[in-house]
């Protein structure tokens, strides 16, 4: 319908070959870009039984359809098979990488194979080089970025891994231009397994647009709107750093490994908004960057143990490295944030896994000295810092924790019921016990426990009624969020649907209707589910939440409340989700009809085989 074509750059690091493929509108119109196109490329490239660290795994950098077209459409999707979950996983990041990739003329980059020695990729418009990176191996993310910029172009955007990615830490992240991260799912470890230290990109070709005059009008209007609207004052002022105050009062914080979702205001305030703001410095990012009309990112200068440093905190970092580990000393938590960023580990998974271990220590279930570690329990900043470094370098106990909380609990043979994850992905800083049906978002998300797969509305405590009633709104929110990830639009830049349609009309000359657009991410979700079942997931067993979220909240205004009224309430909601998705209510597998309605008839025979397999399990 839109007549899109997708130019894909393939790189095989084993053979050092690169080539270009053009996907026609039969594919590109269906998947559009970003997340959805990435899912298509991974689904069709990797057999479900492939180990994520096998050179056959691919890692895709997929630009959003509106990257370099609409203000705030700045996110690139990184998609691969996750070393944490074995599922197709997407993580979104960056301010420039997506738009610059788009301006090279490529829509997506697909990397497979494994280089013999460390390398980095340098994509400068249509020129592609695989360069040696022996001199970069072992460097932290900021050092790597600076060196690569000095060797390529100061205007290049750089996606780099740190020592954690080199050592296959299952939750290693990819740092984009130092301060932004495709944090989740261990995609940095996939890069490490390929001996790929970084990807640098620079593009200067304008995106071909059908109606440039209209696009300019749209761009000017919406840039001004988002820059000036008072609706964004809070996010402009605090970024996400004020969220712990809110989360704690709503009984949604991850404090003490999710043992205490409610904590007093004064305690939460120590890691929130104004306390962070006192340390704020001018954002270096915005001196060069004009792509975002909201500019939520906050930068701070802090001092810990005599070391002065600058870092860009977000709520997830403060919540997971701070509250979840029981640490409420702001300078210490900011320093943990810096260390995690520089060594290249996901702050969410790291905080979650360390918080879990500290709970075991606190409750006397493990003796840390047996693992060569001194740790007193929650809030032991010295121990947390040491564990962060040991994880990144896979030293001692760190090598076990580097496997993620699910595997670590199995390896140690203890604390499985205290490990807060879904399908192996560690939970982020939003405990679902404060909000009705939020737990279902975690249970059914394509990647596991992600806070970015839609939230149901209205926002109410779980005691307000059956969780099932809010399933339609979860689906609506999920589809919209996944569409934004497909178009490359930042979640905070909240365009109305008709504005999105206006931009696509100016870009392509055709105005798509809303259903047409939403079908792209629905296709991605369908592919993800079929892939997951082929890879061994059993929906009836794995679409669930960790036991911790069915423990009653111990204190605060929602004392006694759980994520669902009871397990039956959860099961009813889950069945409703399957039903509304057109999935089989018993097996949780998409029906042939779902594939037909999404114009993916080629999947029907696979679905039929999988369905009969699941029914016999
Ligand atoms: S609103 Fe914040 S996260 Fe979104 S593009 Fe702007 S600076 Fe980046």
């Amino acid at each position: 319908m839109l007549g899109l074509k997708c130019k894909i750059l393939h790189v095989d690091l084993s053979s050092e070959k690169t080539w270009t493929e053009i996907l026609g509108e039969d594919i590109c119109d269906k998947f559009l870009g970003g997340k959805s196109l990435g899912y298509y490329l991974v689904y069709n490239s990797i057999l479900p039984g492939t180990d994520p660290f096998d050179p056959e795994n691919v890692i895709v950098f997929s630009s959003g359809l509106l990257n370099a077209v609409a203000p705030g459409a700045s996110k690139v999707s990184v998609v691969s098979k996750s070393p944490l979950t074995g599922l197709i996983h997407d993580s979104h990041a960056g301010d420039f990488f997506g738009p610059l990739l788009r301006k090279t003329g490529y829509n997506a980059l697909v990397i497979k194979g494994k280089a013999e020695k460390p390398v980095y990729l340098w994509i400068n418009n249509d020129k592609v080089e695989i360069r040696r990176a022996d001199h970069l191996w072992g460097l932290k993310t900021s050092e790597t970025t600076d060196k690569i910029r000095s060797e390529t172009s100061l205007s290049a955007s750089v996606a780099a891994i740190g020592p954690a990615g080199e050592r296959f830490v299952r939750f290693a992240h990819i740092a984009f231009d130092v301060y932004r991260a495709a944090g989740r799912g261990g995609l940095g470890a996939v890069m490490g397994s390929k001996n790929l230290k970084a990807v640098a990109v620079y593009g200067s070709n304008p995106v071909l647009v059908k109606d440039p005059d209209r696009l300019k009008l749209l761009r000017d209007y919406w840039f001004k709107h988002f820059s000036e609207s008072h609706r964004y004052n809070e996010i402009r002022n605090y970024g996400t750093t004020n969220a712990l105050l809110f989360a704690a009062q709503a009984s949604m914080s991850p404090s003490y490994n999710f043992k205490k979702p409610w904590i007093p205001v004064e305690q939460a305030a120590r890691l929130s908004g104004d306390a962070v703001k006192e340390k704020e410095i001018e954002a270096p990012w915005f001196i060069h960057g004009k792509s975002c009309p909201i500019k939520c990112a906050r930068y701070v200068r802090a001092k810990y143990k005599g070391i002065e440093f600058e870092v860009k905190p977000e709520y997830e970092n403060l919540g997971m490295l701070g509250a979840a580990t029981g640490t409420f000393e702001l300078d210490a938590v900011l320093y943990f944030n810096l260390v995690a960023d520089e060594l290249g580990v996901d702050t969410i998974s790291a905080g979650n896994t360390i918080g879990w271990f500290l709970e075991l220590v606190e409750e006397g279930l493990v003796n840390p000295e047996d693992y060569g570690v001194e740790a007193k329990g929650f809030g032991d900043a010295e121990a947390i810092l040491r564990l962060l470094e040991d994880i990144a370098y896979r030293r001692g106990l760190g090598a076990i924790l580097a496997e993620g909380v699910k595997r670590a609990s199995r390896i140690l043979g203890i604390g499985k019921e205290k490990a807060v994850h879904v399908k192996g992905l560690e939970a982020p800083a939003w405990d679902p016990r404060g909000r009705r049906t939020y737990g279902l978002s975690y249970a059914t998300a394509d990647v596991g426990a992600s806070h970015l797969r839609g939230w149901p509305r209205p926002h109410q405590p779980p005691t307000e009624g059956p969780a099932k009633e809010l399933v339609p709104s979860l689906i609506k929110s999920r589809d919209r969020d996944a569409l934004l990830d497909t178009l490359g639009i930042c979640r905070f830049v909240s365009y109305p649907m008709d504005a999105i349609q206006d931009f696509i009309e100016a870009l392509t000359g055709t105005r798509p209707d809303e259903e047409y657009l939403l079908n792209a991410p629905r296709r991605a979700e369908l592919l993800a589910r079929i892939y997951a079942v082929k890879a061994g997931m059993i929906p009836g067993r794995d679409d669930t939440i960790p036991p911790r979220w069915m423990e009653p909240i111990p204190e605060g205004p929602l004392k006694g409340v759980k994520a669902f009224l009871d397990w039956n309430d959860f099961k009813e909601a889950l069945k409703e989700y399957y039903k509304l998705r057109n999935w089989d209510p018993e097996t949780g597998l998409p029906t042939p009809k779902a594939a037909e309605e999404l114009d993916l008839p080629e999947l029907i025979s696979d679905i039929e085989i999988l369905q009969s397999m699941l029914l016999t399990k």
Side-chain angles (χ1 to χ4, degrees):
M1 179 206 177
L2 297 177
L4 297 171
K5 299 234 181 318
C6 294
K7 190 173 168 191
I8 312 294
L9 172 63
H10 288 272
V11 177
D12 183 343
L13 293 172
S14 300
S15 64
E16 298 190 2
K17 288 207 170 84
T18 66
W19 68 98
T20 298
E21 177 190 19
I22 307 289
L23 295 177
E25 52 199 80
D26 53 325
I27 305 298
C28 227
D29 274 4
K30 280 186 190 168
F31 292 95
L32 302 179
K35 170 188 175 112
S36 300
L37 180 63
Y39 272 52
Y40 168 83
L41 291 164
V42 170
Y43 183 91
N44 287 289
S45 304
I46 316 164
L47 290 173
T50 310
D51 187 282
F53 294 141
D54 189 296
E56 283 304 306
N57 192 6
V58 299
I59 186 160
V60 174
F61 293 74
S62 179
S63 67
L65 180 66
L66 292 180
N67 277 178
V69 174
S74 57
K75 303 293 175 195
V76 67
S77 302
V78 189
V79 190
S80 185
K81 181 167 183 171
S82 161
L84 274 176
T85 65
L87 306 173
I88 300 179
H89 190 103
D90 57 317
S91 198
H92 311 268
D95 201 39
F96 297 122
F97 194 98
L100 288 177
L101 177 62
R102 193 80 198 285
K103 284 159 117 185
T104 62
Y106 294 113
N107 296 77
L109 165 64
V110 180
I111 305 167
K112 68 179 274 199
K114 179 181 179 183
E116 217 168 282
K117 296 260 170 71
V119 295
Y120 73 91
L121 276 182
W122 168 220
I123 304 163
N124 184 4
N125 285 307
D126 56 359
K127 196 164 169 230
V128 184
E129 287 176 63
I130 302 172
R131 292 188 171 185
R132 294 294 293 268
D134 309 66
H135 61 302
L136 304 173
W137 210 247
L139 294 188
K140 294 175 179 165
T141 54
S142 65
E143 296 163 336
T144 306
T145 304
D146 289 348
K147 274 208 184 300
I148 290 181
R149 283 216 178 107
S150 72
E151 292 171 14
T152 56
S153 160
L154 293 181
S155 304
S157 180
V158 179
I161 61 168
E166 296 169 9
R167 287 166 178 77
F168 300 16
V169 172
R170 284 186 192 267
F171 46 86
H173 79 204
I174 306 171
F176 283 77
D177 303 314
V178 183
Y179 292 112
R180 312 285 170 132
R184 309 242 55 210
L187 306 187
V190 176
M191 279 178 67
S193 72
K194 298 184 173 308
N195 269 332
L196 178 63
K197 181 70 176 170
V199 179
V201 65
Y202 178 74
S204 57
N205 306 305
V207 174
L208 285 180
V209 173
K210 266 273 162 24
D211 189 344
D213 294 339
R214 177 145 186 248
L215 181 65
K216 182 169 181 336
L217 286 176
L218 285 169
R219 287 184 62 93
D220 291 350
Y221 174 82
W222 285 107
F223 196 95
K224 188 165 181 317
H225 168 81
F226 288 122
S227 309
E228 294 176 1
S229 169
H230 295 306
R231 192 176 152 199
Y232 302 99
N233 282 354
E234 164 87 7
I235 186 98
R236 204 175 279 125
N237 189 30
Y238 290 116
T240 57
T241 65
N242 210 20
L244 184 60
L245 262 184
F246 164 76
Q249 294 320 290
S251 302
M252 299 183 77
S253 89
S255 305
Y256 305 97
N257 192 32
F258 298 88
K259 279 180 76 168
K260 297 183 179 181
W262 180 87
I263 51 171
V265 172
E266 314 76 58
Q267 191 179 6
R270 292 167 64 190
L271 295 184
S272 281
D274 289 331
V276 179
K277 201 143 193 74
E278 274 176 26
K279 298 175 185 295
E280 195 168 315
I281 55 171
E282 193 189 349
W285 194 257
F286 301 132
I287 294 166
H288 304 292
K290 293 206 173 72
S291 68
C292 177
I294 291 178
K295 301 180 173 50
C296 74
R298 304 290 96 195
Y299 293 76
V300 300
R301 182 173 297 128
K303 197 171 176 183
Y304 183 66
K305 288 180 163 291
I307 302 168
E308 216 171 292
F309 59 95
E310 292 174 8
V311 71
K312 181 177 88 59
E314 298 284 350
Y315 167 57
E316 288 297 332
N317 311 338
L318 298 165
M320 295 309 297
L321 292 173
T325 67
T327 314
F328 290 86
E329 184 192 350
L330 181 57
D331 286 324
V333 177
L334 292 170
Y335 192 65
F336 301 162
N337 191 164
L338 176 83
V339 170
D341 285 355
E342 286 285 19
L343 298 180
V345 294
D346 173 26
T347 54
I348 295 176
S349 289
N352 179 309
T353 307
I354 293 172
W356 165 79
F357 182 74
L358 294 178
E359 183 182 337
L360 299 184
V361 173
E362 185 101 4
E363 295 187 358
L365 297 172
V366 292
N367 178 5
E369 283 165 22
D370 291 349
Y371 301 97
V373 174
E374 278 181 35
K376 296 185 201 69
F378 287 122
D380 183 344
E382 285 290 324
I384 294 165
L385 198 49
R386 164 97 191 270
L387 286 173
L388 265 178
E389 289 171 351
D390 286 351
I391 287 171
Y393 290 103
R394 277 193 178 269
R395 290 188 299 232
L397 174 67
I400 296 173
L401 301 184
E403 292 290 296
V405 77
K406 179 181 166 186
R407 286 179 176 82
S409 66
R410 288 183 180 169
I411 296 167
L412 296 187
I414 197 158
K416 228 169 123 182
E417 72 294 346
K418 298 171 189 297
V420 187
H421 69 89
V422 175
K423 301 185 179 86
L425 186 69
E426 290 77 14
W430 297 97
D431 189 311
R433 282 174 285 182
R435 288 279 192 265
R436 187 182 175 196
T437 319
Y438 268 38
L440 192 72
S441 180
Y442 287 128
T444 57
D446 49 4
V447 296
S450 166
H451 57 299
L452 298 169
R453 312 285 146 165
W455 294 130
R457 287 183 175 74
H459 298 311
Q460 300 170 323
T463 42
E464 280 294 306
K468 174 181 171 174
E469 288 177 356
L470 301 192
V471 174
S473 77
L474 167 61
I475 288 179
K476 196 170 168 204
S477 164
R478 174 163 292 170
D479 285 351
R480 185 187 153 84
D481 284 354
L483 175 63
L484 298 181
D485 293 340
T486 296
L487 303 176
I489 296 174
C490 170
R491 296 287 178 86
F492 298 133
V493 187
S494 51
Y495 284 104
M497 184 56 80
D498 59 352
I500 289 174
Q501 291 165 297
D502 287 343
F503 273 108
I504 297 179
E505 188 176 12
L507 175 70
T508 66
T510 303
R511 187 176 188 80
D513 67 31
E514 187 173 342
E515 277 303 291
Y516 175 89
L517 292 176
L518 293 171
N519 277 344
R522 287 173 187 150
R523 288 185 185 107
E525 190 185 23
L526 188 137
L527 290 184
R529 184 136 281 244
I530 294 173
Y531 189 92
V533 173
K534 283 184 180 174
M537 184 187 91
I538 301 174
R541 180 194 64 195
D542 299 329
D543 286 344
T544 190
I545 58 169
R548 170 118 315 157
W549 290 339
M550 287 304 271
E551 290 170 13
I553 296 176
E555 54 190 328
L558 295 185
K559 185 173 174 188
V561 171
K562 299 181 272 189
F564 294 90
L565 298 173
D566 51 35
W567 280 109
N568 194 48
D569 184 39
F570 167 70
K571 281 187 187 142
E572 288 295 311
L574 184 64
K575 270 196 177 168
E576 183 73 359
Y577 186 86
Y578 292 166
K579 192 179 107 196
L580 295 181
R581 271 299 191 220
N582 215 345
W583 296 355
D584 186 284
E586 293 308 315
T587 62
L589 188 73
T591 59
K593 192 161 170 262
E596 213 171 279
E597 283 180 4
L598 290 171
D599 197 13
L600 296 169
E602 65 276 18
L603 299 174
I604 290 175
S605 56
D606 279 7
I607 290 174
E608 285 168 349
I609 296 167
L610 292 173
Q611 174 73 355
S612 54
M613 266 173 46
L614 284 175
L615 284 173
T616 54
K617 276 195 177 161

